[in-house]
Amino acid sequence: MSDLSEVDKTKRLFMGLGSIVIGAGIGGALAYPIFQFAVGNALKTADDGDSKDWIDLGSASEFEEGKPTAKKITIEIRDGWVKSSSDETIWVVKKGNEFLTFTATCPHLGCKVNWVPERSEYFCPCHNSAFEVTGEKKPGAASARGLDTLEYRVSDGKLQVVFQKFKNLLPTKEVFS
Amino acid sequence: MASPAIPQFNGTLGKIYDWVDERAGISEIMHELLDEPIPGGTKYAYAFGSALLFIFALQSITGVFLAMYYVPSAEDAHKSVEYIMKEVPFGAFMRGMHHYGSSAMVIMVVLHILQIVIWGAYKQKRELLWLVGAGLFQLVLAFSLSGYLLPWDMKAYYGTVVTVGIASEVPIFGDMIKRIIIGGTEMGTITISRFFMVHVFLLPALTAGGIAAHLYLFRKAQPAGPFNMTEQEAMFKVEPFWPGQVFKDAVFSLVVFAILAYLSFATLAPLEPKADPSQTQYVARPEWYFLFLFQLLKYFPGSTAIIGSLIIPGIVMAIITFLPFLDRNPERHPLKRPFVMLGTLALLVAIGALHLLAKQDDNQNFAAQLKAQEEEGARFLKEPFEPKDTSQKSLAVAPPPEAFVKNCAVCHGENGAGGPAGPKLVGIAKKPGRSKEEIAGLIENPSAYDASKMPPMPQVSAAERAAIAEWIHTLK
């Protein structure tokens, strides 16, 4: 074994390298499809077209001036091979003829904010972010921006919003989906 | 001893290697794994075992990733497989590799066994090695049977109905065994869940353990070498496992991989419509490598059925399993072992003949239905993917009008989901030429609206036609 001829050495080198190349080739040929498969449709965005999906929040006249009101909405979601419904909460504040419509999702890391009447603030229990009734962040909030407003309109006396999700952490509002 | 298999590095790389080696003992393991002497030299004939290991690794990898999307329930199994096939990038490829890989596994295990039998390599204190191998062979078949159900399409459902039926032929305990296998009296979510657990947790664990034992016992017994050389001659021509045999194994595995990848790209792995227990025309057939067993059942009618389904296969399996104990003659040359060689040949001929008879019977008696099923499966795979709708909108659909229940439901299903004689109506409103007015017109005069297979419905009044069309348009 220790006295390998030059021919044998070349042969052994060829077979050794050949085995490694074949192994790496098969691994590489598998890695790409597997990576694509594992990512799946995670990076695809639902194709809604341009039409906005207006969701009813109820009669515009029923909201009390200046008092945050929670409204549950039901949105349609596509969850893999299932089309299903999911509930979300919208905070609505009436200001004269205008409305403030906030998503209840904290812009920090995505927990849900609740209205605390005693302290007159929206409060996120995850990292103690507090927001004014107008949605601006209070000093000391972990969030980099205030609550995210949703586009609204009043149509046939009904208050309607377009529901969207926004990116976490950023100082300005950017649409996530 | 300096091992030729162990890389020699100089400089920094060498220092890093030495540092790791002192602590992890890589050189020792590499020497143990790679310098194994192969008496009589390396051969492509010895590549089947390695190829089996390779395919098992492929099945494990593709299986793990398929489990990212697959859901083991009667409600979702079929839809999730359809989603993999139609919506996930490279989903059809991954399922194809797993599907064709299962056939490759069975083919390779048979080739591996044949090679060992022809070479007489189960002799000379290799009984344990063979026994573990026989166990692994049965695990491969168990993988096949348990995986067959998981897509929950027509063939999966009826194939498993038959398999479970065979299990229930066991005297006295048959019904109990059947109930334990399917988890009750009806095949459904509990059945899928059980098969899934067996297929992805239990069998892989047992197989991994079996492979470890098999490889250990193989190294302990050492390769048997050629049958036409004396031990001294074989030791004179000895070659190490690395790199000669590894290279031959790698080339062979590459060929297997190339064939599987080609099949997966070129031919979609079959998926039929979802299991429908009410379907009476369906002709159930097992996977092709079980066709001979299926044919055997036909020769044992009534109360003798157990002979074909359990007794004969059981005896054959027992003979295979205990072969080293039955054949104790140390002679290894195949031409000097007429009994085992002729027995093996007879078994292969019998399997081949039964397979051909099964094909012939199907061609004569079921050709049209089998072709229709195949076309139905191909059509289903081409259909665009429709997600399962569980949104509140879909739940809010009103019950069908009475006229629909009376006149249409027989063919189109009670909820318009389609039936054996009529297409599904769900989603049909989106298609061109199917406005409410056109649907009402179609009910009155089907052939005018490109639905000549449907009989005209003169008994349905104009008001009823409008109500039915209105309702059909709510189906999504």
Side-chain angles (χ1 to χ4, degrees):
Chain A
M1 193 62 66
S2 48
D3 305 314
L4 288 170
S5 70
E6 281 306 309
V7 176
D8 278 352
K9 273 187 187 162
T10 316
K11 233 173 110 182
R12 283 178 63 86
L13 188 67
F14 171 77
M15 291 190 292
L17 286 177
S19 304
I20 292 166
V21 167
I22 290 173
I26 291 175
L30 265 181
Y32 179 72
I34 287 177
F35 177 76
Q36 291 283 337
F37 182 86
V39 171
N41 296 321
L43 301 179
K44 261 188 206 163
T45 315
D47 183 26
D48 289 340
D50 297 330
S51 64
K52 285 179 180 168
D53 204 1
W54 291 100
I55 301 168
D56 276 356
L57 293 181
S59 168
S61 56
E62 72 176 51
F63 295 97
E64 268 179 58
E65 180 71 24
K67 181 180 172 244
T69 312
K71 277 282 166 189
K72 274 237 162 79
I73 60 164
T74 302
I75 55 167
E76 279 212 354
I77 55 169
R78 174 68 188 274
D79 185 5
W81 56 90
V82 182
K83 213 199 263 176
S84 65
S85 303
S86 172
D87 288 345
E88 294 284 347
T89 296
I90 311 289
W91 288 107
V92 182
V93 188
K94 188 170 189 274
K95 293 260 172 198
N97 283 332
E98 301 289 304
F99 287 90
L100 288 167
T101 48
F102 301 116
T103 107
T105 305
C106 178
H108 180 222
L109 288 170
C111 297
K112 297 290 155 125
V113 300
N114 197 14
W115 174 250
V116 185
E118 304 87 67
R119 299 201 298 270
S120 230
E121 65 183 25
Y122 303 97
F123 183 70
C124 178
C126 288
H127 303 91
N128 300 341
S129 292
F131 304 89
E132 306 280 358
V133 64
T134 52
E136 283 142 38
K137 66 177 173 123
K138 284 190 167 180
S143 175
R145 65 173 188 262
L147 292 179
D148 296 317
T149 52
L150 297 171
E151 191 183 349
Y152 77 92
R153 72 176 182 192
V154 178
S155 167
D156 285 341
K158 284 198 169 138
L159 181 65
Q160 296 177 323
V161 289
V162 178
F163 184 76
Q164 278 180 313
K165 288 184 175 165
F166 303 97
K167 291 182 185 172
N168 292 131
L169 295 167
L170 304 176
T172 52
K173 185 170 95 174
E174 273 183 49
V175 176
F176 177 68
S177 74
Chain B
M1 183 191 102
S3 160
I6 296 162
Q8 307 288 321
F9 299 116
N10 301 317
T12 317
L13 198 59
K15 278 187 191 148
I16 294 173
Y17 181 85
D18 289 343
W19 189 90
V20 175
D21 189 29
E22 276 171 34
R23 285 152 184 84
I26 297 175
S27 297
E28 216 174 305
I29 296 174
M30 298 255 271
H31 171 63
E32 201 59 45
L33 289 178
L34 298 175
D35 288 335
E36 165 86 354
I38 300 175
T42 61
K43 284 194 171 47
Y44 276 100
Y46 304 156
F48 300 125
S50 302
L52 268 175
L53 194 57
F54 171 70
I55 302 169
F56 180 68
L58 271 185
Q59 294 298 84
S60 305
I61 293 168
T62 50
V64 162
F65 280 94
L66 287 170
M68 272 181 98
Y69 296 98
Y70 177 76
V71 169
S73 80
E75 189 68 19
D76 280 306
H78 184 261
K79 205 63 178 170
S80 62
V81 176
E82 190 192 349
Y83 181 74
I84 290 172
M85 292 295 285
K86 295 179 181 174
E87 294 278 282
V88 182
F90 286 95
F93 173 75
M94 292 287 278
R95 181 161 175 266
M97 289 298 279
H98 201 72
H99 171 82
Y100 295 115
S102 76
S103 282
M105 195 87 186
V106 172
I107 293 172
M108 209 56 71
V109 87
V110 169
L111 291 176
H112 185 50
I113 294 172
L114 281 177
Q115 190 259 326
I116 302 298
V117 169
I118 292 169
W119 263 247
Y122 53 87
K123 297 174 178 232
Q124 290 150 349
K125 297 187 181 160
R126 293 193 175 82
E127 298 91 341
L128 282 181
L129 174 58
W130 176 272
L131 276 180
V132 173
L136 285 169
F137 174 41
Q138 282 157 43
L139 287 175
V140 167
L141 300 181
F143 263 117
S144 167
L145 286 177
S146 54
Y148 201 58
L149 176 73
L150 299 182
W152 198 246
D153 61 356
M154 293 295 285
K155 69 157 66 160
Y157 182 84
Y158 284 104
T160 306
V161 164
V162 174
T163 313
V164 173
I166 288 170
S168 73
E169 285 175 0
V170 174
I172 305 168
F173 302 109
D175 276 335
M176 196 179 81
I177 292 172
K178 177 175 172 176
R179 286 178 77 130
I180 290 173
I181 293 175
I182 68 177
T185 52
E186 297 301 321
M187 269 185 26
T189 291
I190 297 292
T191 321
I192 298 180
S193 188
R194 277 162 189 248
F195 277 56
F196 180 72
M197 174 271 184
V198 167
H199 190 77
V200 308
F201 295 111
L202 197 58
L203 292 176
L206 290 173
T207 306
I211 289 171
H214 198 59
L215 287 177
Y216 168 75
L217 290 167
F218 173 59
R219 283 298 162 94
K220 179 85 183 149
Q222 297 185 341
F227 50 75
N228 54 2
M229 283 187 198
T230 65
E231 230 168 283
Q232 286 75 14
E233 283 172 331
M235 287 320 283
F236 187 70
K237 259 201 80 183
V238 75
E239 254 187 89
F241 182 64
W242 172 269
Q245 190 60 47
V246 173
F247 181 68
K248 291 188 169 76
D249 292 353
V251 168
F252 188 66
S253 292
L254 179 65
V255 171
V256 171
F257 179 77
I259 293 171
L260 289 178
Y262 171 76
L263 283 173
S264 305
F265 272 122
T267 319
L268 287 178
L271 181 67
E272 297 174 337
K274 188 176 173 182
D276 175 5
S278 73
Q279 172 64 265
T280 55
Q281 292 158 336
Y282 191 80
V283 175
R285 288 293 174 268
E287 198 60 305
W288 63 269
Y289 41 79
F290 285 129
L291 210 54
F292 72 99
L293 280 176
F294 153 85
Q295 179 69 11
L296 188 61
L297 298 183
K298 296 181 189 167
Y299 303 112
F300 299 94
S303 59
T304 62
I306 190 171
I307 299 174
S309 60
L310 294 171
I311 294 178
I312 293 177
I315 290 172
V316 172
M317 196 51 116
I319 292 174
I320 293 173
T321 304
F322 296 107
L323 182 63
F325 301 95
L326 300 171
D327 173 22
R328 306 214 47 96
N329 181 354
E331 177 60 54
R332 285 184 50 211
H333 200 290
L335 295 180
K336 293 173 188 160
R337 297 184 294 133
F339 199 69
V340 171
M341 284 300 106
L342 287 176
T344 306
L345 193 64
L347 183 61
L348 288 177
V349 169
I351 288 172
L354 283 170
H355 183 90
L356 292 178
L357 284 169
K359 280 273 171 213
Q360 194 186 26
D361 191 3
D362 278 352
N363 285 338
Q364 277 168 7
N365 300 313
F366 302 100
Q369 176 63 21
L370 285 168
K371 188 155 174 280
Q373 285 171 202
E374 204 175 298
E375 283 168 359
E376 174 71 359
R379 186 195 59 72
F380 175 77
L381 275 174
K382 274 196 211 117
E383 244 177 40
F385 184 79
E386 279 289 334
K388 187 175 89 172
D389 198 347
T390 64
S391 63
Q392 296 187 352
K393 246 187 222 170
S394 74
L395 297 175
V397 167
E402 206 180 314
F404 181 87
V405 178
K406 231 189 273 169
N407 300 296
C408 318
V410 186
C411 296
H412 292 290
E414 272 176 40
N415 296 311
K424 73 171 179 184
L425 303 174
V426 178
I428 206 156
K430 273 186 260 168
K431 296 193 177 164
R434 293 292 180 264
S435 70
K436 286 176 194 171
E437 294 71 30
E438 283 163 318
I439 290 176
L442 186 152
I443 298 169
E444 190 180 21
N445 183 7
S447 45
Y449 291 86
D450 206 20
S452 50
K453 275 189 191 162
M454 181 172 137
M457 298 280 168
Q459 72 274 29
V460 182
S461 73
E464 286 170 337
R465 288 200 295 269
I468 292 171
E470 185 78 32
W471 179 75
I472 287 174
H473 263 247
T474 65
L475 298 176
K476 282 196 187 97

